[in-house]
Amino acid sequence: MSLRLFRTTEYKALAYRLALAYIFYFLSRLSFYSFNKAHLHIEGIADFFRLAFYGLLFDTTAIIYVNLLFIFLSVLPLLINTKKSFQKVLFWVYFPCNIPAYLLNFIDIVYFSYNKTRLTTNDWALVENEHNPLTLMVGFLVQYWAIFAVFLVLIVLWIFLYKKVQVREEEVTHRKPYFITSAIVLVLLAPTLIFGIRGFSFKAGVIPLTVMDASKYARDISQVNILLNTPFTIFRTMGKNKGFKEFKFTTDAYIAENIKPIKQYGRQVKDQPNIVVIILEGMGAEYFGVMNQHTHIPNYRSHTPFLDSLARQGYYFTNIFSNSIHSIEGISAVTAGMPTFQTAWVRSGYAQRKISSLPEIARSLGYQTLFAHGATNGSMNFDGYTHQIGYQTYLGRTEFNDDRYYNGSWGIDDEPFLQYFAKNINQMKRPFLATVFTLSSHGPYTVPDKYKNQFNTGDIPMHNVTEYTDLSLLKFFDTIKKEDWYANTIFAIISDHTTDDYYDYYKQKIAHHRLPIILFSPNKALIPQGSSDTLGQQIDIFPTLVDLMGYQKPFRSWGRSLLSDKADETPRAFVTHTQFYQLIQGNYIYVLDLQGKVVGVYAKEDLDLIHNLKDQITHNEEMKKGIADVRAFMQDYMDRIIHDKLE
């Protein structure tokens, strides 16, 4: 028995045992690829190792989660750590935690051929509904015995290698330095583990590593499944699929006729226009003069002089409502026509599946695609999400590479970043789809020092930054109007969601969610001048732009083209809410709970939902139809998400 002051041997053993986990996660990834290579687009062994390298990010999160107790017990100073009895305890903590988690990877090897995505908690929810899960599991093991034979061989090898390195028993002779050094290691280890779980980032605004982040390192959507591991997708989707359940309110025929989730337009386009989408951070209809010509708000003042002038030169819509509350939800609504209710699709385990999207359709027509956002790369998972849905290039704070213009919180100020965006558009192949998401109108609502006293500061902070973003867009257009591509370009301007309200009108429950949509082109043949008060919603921008690009094939969309003359597409707006489904349609606003039970029916003018007309339903056919339409939408929305029908 030797003496010790510092626990070098123990720490080396801990590092070795965790390294074994990484090695066997690599072997499970190799097994996954070997059995499913027909479904995975990997360009040779070098591409596989590239993916395996980036996969270490996701492995780290999973390994730390699974081994937290083991790591804690390994470093806790108990004086008996090196004794055989305690080392046996560690063994029986290590493998009962690691083996079930590891088994998930091998179950997924089989399941992937059916699902085409890694298992998430929503897949387990489906298993829970089976009446004979045990019988199914036995049949599963028999049918795929070879895969589970590989699993058993690897587990035996893992145990063998674990036992090859033993911790020799040592006696603690100097307890004070022993406990001090152990405490230092514990203090240093805690943030290191958190760092690893988050995905090796503590940058402001960057949320912990998610399933969506795998898309950043994938050249093809199928490669996401090599990057990920199944314990990670399970951990990261726990509690994220709440709110997704199947309904059986009506027939498929009713949905097809009344909801029309599959759209198709026949616009003839000879010279494909470039498309520039400008998503405004938090800028609801309240701030736009053109959106408030008929609201009759006393002493109203616009905060968007340039965007108002642009709207008058183009075509703008004054009766549009938001399908989202947060930025990532707003982006998925605009770019993929996905509304958000109790739980955002884009934050769920279903988000890794393929989906019809604006950039994906644009690329099928030969467009080059780009998404730009001045925030720290990784913020809100914008880079992962946009890559997954088809944007070829992502530009963020990293690519901008000049922190002189960093605003100290979220990212690069709008004025310099929009100029950077303009520069990059000039380098794109025509036709192109370029999307930029502004930033400065996000809290804490600061503007560059040189503009500190230029804008309104007397009402709410949002007014100040809105005016700054408006000026930044003026300068952006002054720059790009000199370019040869400008004349054949359609600009679509919309907000991601609404934020602060100043006027009482917009403090009403429904009015709060009004958004601007502005379409503009220097070429009047592409976008005429005028305005419309037709009822619409945020997800309408997706099919509208698909229509304008001249795409003539069927595609999934619960929104409609605002410029189509199809009489059978009902104007409507599903107004976002986490606890209710809210639909404006015809003369009424319908509010149903998350189970489809009617909470209230209100006149469309009753934007604060004060006078409930629910007692009139039995005698009002329009109300009955509206309620049936909400339920039909709920059914189709859930069905398409749960059963992978979003393409």
Side-chain angles (χ1 to χ4, degrees):
M1 184 180 295
S2 58
L3 306 179
R4 60 177 176 152
L5 284 172
F6 190 71
R7 302 164 66 186
T8 305
T9 304
E10 291 177 64
Y11 296 145
K12 285 182 177 179
L14 173 61
Y16 172 77
R17 291 160 179 174
L18 292 177
L20 285 178
Y22 281 98
I23 291 169
F24 282 90
Y25 270 62
F26 170 79
L27 293 174
S28 72
R29 179 172 282 113
L30 184 61
S31 301
F32 183 90
Y33 172 59
S34 300
F35 282 100
N36 288 292
K37 61 173 60 179
H39 307 295
L40 302 164
H41 301 289
I42 309 297
E43 299 172 3
I45 192 69
D47 198 27
F48 173 81
F49 277 102
R50 180 187 67 83
L51 295 168
F53 173 75
Y54 288 114
L56 291 172
L57 286 169
F58 306 93
D59 292 351
T60 297
T61 296
I63 290 167
I64 293 175
Y65 268 132
V66 171
N67 290 281
L68 269 175
L69 179 60
F70 172 76
I71 295 169
F72 179 71
L73 291 174
S74 296
V75 299
L76 198 65
L78 296 174
L79 302 178
I80 60 168
N81 299 70
T82 63
K83 293 185 178 297
K84 288 184 178 179
S85 58
F86 188 80
Q87 288 298 310
K88 189 174 288 186
V89 169
L90 289 181
F91 176 89
W92 286 106
V93 171
Y94 183 84
F95 281 107
C97 289
N98 276 289
I99 289 175
Y102 197 58
L103 177 61
L104 292 172
N105 288 312
F106 288 83
I107 293 173
D108 217 356
I109 289 175
V110 175
Y111 196 69
F112 181 77
S113 62
Y114 300 99
N115 203 37
K116 302 297 188 298
T117 62
R118 289 279 187 170
L119 286 166
T120 62
T121 51
N122 62 273
D123 297 294
W124 296 112
L126 293 175
V127 173
E128 289 174 359
N129 295 325
E130 294 289 347
H131 299 295
N132 57 345
L134 187 60
T135 304
L136 291 173
M137 181 58 70
V138 172
F140 190 74
L141 292 171
V142 171
Q143 185 177 356
Y144 301 102
W145 65 267
I147 292 171
F148 291 98
V150 173
F151 165 74
L152 290 173
V153 169
L154 289 174
I155 290 298
V156 170
L157 180 61
W158 195 344
I159 293 171
F160 172 77
L161 292 173
Y162 180 99
K163 290 184 173 183
K164 285 288 288 183
V165 174
Q166 298 289 334
V167 175
R168 68 178 183 271
E169 192 169 338
E170 298 176 318
E171 182 181 351
V172 179
T173 55
H174 299 78
R175 295 191 175 186
K176 187 174 180 179
Y178 168 83
F179 282 110
I180 290 173
T181 56
S182 295
I184 292 171
V185 170
L186 275 170
V187 169
L188 294 174
L189 188 61
T192 303
L193 294 177
I194 296 171
F195 189 56
I197 287 174
R198 286 182 57 90
F200 300 102
S201 178
F202 281 121
K203 292 180 180 177
V206 178
I207 65 177
L209 200 68
T210 70
V211 171
M212 192 76 70
D213 283 306
S215 301
K216 291 187 283 189
Y217 310 105
R219 294 169 180 163
D220 179 277
I221 193 167
S222 70
Q223 294 186 348
V224 164
N225 301 289
I226 294 292
L227 287 151
L228 296 169
N229 63 78
T230 309
F232 176 89
T233 60
I234 295 294
F235 281 125
R236 280 294 194 252
T237 59
M238 282 182 176
K240 299 293 179 66
N241 295 319
K242 179 184 177 184
F244 294 102
K245 59 177 291 184
E246 294 187 72
F247 297 108
K248 296 294 181 185
F249 291 126
T250 188
T251 64
D252 291 343
Y254 184 93
I255 292 170
E257 182 179 352
N258 295 277
I259 304 302
K260 298 188 184 304
I262 304 300
K263 300 294 192 299
Q264 185 172 10
Y265 301 103
R267 186 182 299 268
Q268 298 291 324
V269 176
K270 292 182 180 179
D271 187 11
Q272 291 175 309
N274 306 304
I275 305 290
V276 175
V277 181
I278 301 171
I279 305 174
L280 305 169
E281 171 63 65
M283 291 169 57
E286 175 174 355
Y287 312 130
F288 293 73
V290 293
M291 303 294 159
N292 288 279
Q293 298 174 86
H294 305 295
T295 53
H296 307 296
I297 296 173
N299 302 313
Y300 175 82
R301 185 160 70 89
S302 171
H303 299 279
T304 56
F306 169 69
L307 288 173
D308 286 344
S309 69
L310 198 73
R312 294 188 185 98
Q313 298 172 59
Y315 203 87
Y316 59 96
F317 298 86
T318 62
N319 198 24
I320 305 297
F321 292 86
S322 175
N323 306 117
S324 61
I325 299 174
H326 303 104
S327 294
I328 187 63
E329 301 164 6
I331 288 179
S332 67
V334 171
T335 59
M338 291 297 295
T340 292
F341 302 99
Q342 183 180 6
T343 302
W345 158 81
V346 74
R347 296 187 187 276
S348 75
Y350 300 105
Q352 60 176 309
R353 296 173 172 175
K354 291 196 71 172
I355 184 172
S356 291
S357 69
L358 183 62
E360 182 258 339
I361 289 174
R363 288 176 67 177
S364 75
L365 293 172
Y367 281 70
Q368 187 178 358
T369 59
L370 176 151
F371 189 97
H373 183 221
T376 302
N377 293 49
S379 177
M380 298 294 291
N381 296 117
F382 290 166
D383 48 358
Y385 167 75
T386 54
H387 185 74
Q388 179 177 329
I389 65 167
Y391 283 102
Q392 296 160 293
T393 303
Y394 182 90
L395 302 176
R397 179 183 168 191
T398 299
E399 290 74 20
F400 184 82
N401 195 29
D402 190 346
D403 273 358
R404 289 180 301 165
Y405 302 102
Y406 176 56
N407 67 10
S409 53
W410 282 97
I412 307 302
D413 291 317
D414 281 350
E415 183 186 354
F417 193 79
L418 285 167
Q419 293 298 317
Y420 173 70
F421 177 58
K423 180 182 176 182
N424 278 272
I425 294 177
N426 289 337
Q427 300 168 11
M428 295 181 74
K429 185 184 74 169
R430 322 302 167 56
F432 58 75
L433 165 68
T435 304
V436 65
F437 183 30
T438 67
L439 178 143
S440 295
S441 46
H442 193 291
Y445 308 122
T446 59
V447 300
D449 289 341
K450 67 178 181 179
Y451 293 119
K452 286 291 187 187
N453 300 312
Q454 182 167 334
F455 306 119
N456 170 64
T457 58
D459 299 329
I460 57 176
M462 187 65 184
H463 290 169
N464 191 44
V465 289
T466 296
E467 293 184 14
Y468 168 67
T469 295
D470 185 74
L471 176 65
S472 300
L473 285 165
L474 167 63
K475 294 185 176 184
F476 167 74
F477 273 84
D478 282 343
T479 296
I480 63 173
K481 69 177 57 174
K482 305 166 189 172
E483 305 297 335
D484 60 350
W485 54 263
Y486 179 75
N488 191 43
T489 301
I490 294 172
F491 297 86
I493 301 168
I494 189 170
S495 298
D496 62 333
H497 55 77
T498 61
T499 47
D500 300 339
D501 306 313
Y502 177 68
Y503 298 109
D504 289 343
Y505 175 90
Y506 284 98
K507 292 177 182 179
Q508 298 179 97
K509 296 180 182 68
I510 300 298
H512 169 74
H513 294 285
R514 280 188 62 218
L515 292 179
I517 288 183
I518 299 170
L519 300 176
F520 166 78
S521 177
N523 184 348
K524 303 307 178 187
L526 297 177
I527 299 293
Q529 286 183 279
S531 65
S532 173
D533 63 355
T534 184
L535 178 62
Q537 53 191 325
Q538 192 176 25
I539 59 174
D540 288 342
I541 198 72
F542 166 49
T544 300
L545 294 176
V546 169
D547 179 19
L548 287 169
M549 287 190 293
Y551 188 74
Q552 298 181 3
K553 297 178 181 178
F555 65 102
R556 187 273 319 150
S557 173
W558 291 292
R560 66 186 181 94
S561 171
L562 295 170
L563 296 178
S564 170
D565 57 0
K566 288 197 171 209
D568 61 345
E569 293 184 352
T570 304
R572 57 168 60 103
F574 290 99
V575 184
T576 189
H577 200 289
T578 59
Q579 299 300 320
F580 304 104
Y581 289 89
Q582 301 181 141
L583 170 66
I584 310 174
Q585 182 173 292
N587 294 303
Y588 300 102
I589 302 170
Y590 304 91
V591 182
L592 277 66
D593 69 13
L594 298 173
Q595 308 306 316
K597 181 181 178 182
V598 178
V599 174
V601 180
Y602 306 86
K604 66 179 181 180
E605 298 82 12
D606 188 2
L607 297 176
D608 208 24
L609 307 181
I610 295 173
H611 305 291
N612 198 334
L613 309 176
K614 188 168 69 170
D615 58 350
Q616 300 179 19
I617 294 173
T618 52
H619 309 293
N620 190 310
E621 294 304 316
E622 183 182 351
M623 289 183 182
K624 291 178 184 178
K625 173 68 164 55
I627 293 165
D629 285 355
V630 179
R631 289 170 174 164
F633 167 78
M634 291 170 63
Q635 178 175 319
D636 190 65
Y637 176 78
M638 293 297 177
D639 177 59
R640 291 183 180 277
I641 290 176
I642 293 171
H643 295 292
D644 196 11
K645 302 177 184 177
L646 293 174
E647 286 193 76

